[in-house]
Amino acid sequence: SKLKELNLFGVGVRKKGPIKVYSVGMYCSDAVRESLSTISRTADKGKQALSALLEGAKESETSFVLKMNFKVGAEKMASAIAESVAPRHSTSSEVDDLKSLIFAGVSEKGAAVKGTVLQFDCSPETGVEVSVDGKEQGAVVSSGLAKAFCDVYLDDNCVSPALRESILENCCAP
């Protein structure tokens, strides 16, 4: 599956307790996939693979596509994502800008109902671009924010461990 020139690396789910709130897919470049293909996903408990994945995602165009499985209000959805990014990024005004873009896109629909698609295009050059159901909401031009957004899904405290596991399974050597 492709998104612009990017390839699907893996999929996972974001859970809150027993509830599957949304599914998430990560798309990234062929260059990052090639760099991962030579690294074992099992050696040193996957640390080298996870480190290479995180570094590659932060230095490349990387998109995260969220598809809602459970209805969440606009304010709650925007706040939840902002609260995940905030401890990973020191410029609170940029986190607030991201929250506003998410809120604006979701509130147009009333809520992030089942099937709503939120897309976050992260780039070291352009920052984080936000789209809701294919409609661009705007961007926060911040390389640091883009890297923090990647951390939300890829660092050791990520919100979807299943996504990381799926990416290593699909992209790394055994």
Side-chain angles (χ1 to χ4, degrees):
S1 183
K2 276 186 152 342
L3 183 75
K4 296 183 275 188
E5 308 79 53
L6 306 178
N7 288 305
L8 180 64
F9 273 44
V11 294
V13 67
R14 170 69 163 126
K15 291 181 178 178
K16 271 296 199 193
I19 298 168
K20 293 177 180 176
V21 182
Y22 59 79
S23 58
V24 55
M26 187 189 104
Y27 294 78
C28 202
S29 70
D30 285 335
V32 174
R33 185 181 286 261
E34 282 172 32
S35 74
L36 290 173
S37 68
T38 60
I39 301 170
S40 166
R41 66 177 171 268
T42 53
D44 68 356
K45 296 191 173 101
K47 286 190 177 117
Q48 185 186 357
L50 290 168
S51 175
L53 169 61
L54 191 53
E55 186 180 330
K58 288 180 176 184
E59 299 307 319
S60 308
E61 302 278 325
T62 302
S63 292
F64 295 93
V65 177
L66 284 51
K67 187 169 184 182
M68 298 304 296
N69 189 50
F70 190 82
K71 182 180 175 182
V72 178
E75 176 62 34
K76 188 166 183 144
M77 190 68 201
S79 293
I81 293 174
E83 286 165 15
S84 294
V85 175
R88 296 169 167 96
H89 187 61
S90 57
T91 310
S92 60
S93 62
E94 293 173 354
V95 176
D96 290 343
D97 291 346
L98 176 66
K99 181 179 173 181
S100 296
L101 291 173
I102 299 165
F103 179 78
V106 175
S107 63
E108 269 184 33
K109 298 175 56 100
V113 296
K114 185 173 180 165
T116 300
V117 176
L118 290 86
Q119 182 172 325
F120 300 90
D121 298 328
C122 303
S123 161
E125 285 84 37
T126 57
V128 181
E129 295 175 23
V130 179
S131 301
V132 177
D133 286 339
K135 186 177 176 194
E136 290 183 20
Q137 300 301 315
V140 181
V141 182
S142 164
S143 174
L145 184 69
K147 290 175 179 178
F149 200 94
C150 289
D151 281 336
V152 169
Y153 290 96
L154 301 175
D155 72 13
D156 289 338
N157 298 314
C158 66
V159 300
S160 178
L163 174 64
R164 289 196 335 168
E165 290 168 27
S166 171
I167 293 168
L168 297 190
E169 186 75 30
N170 291 334
C171 300
C172 295

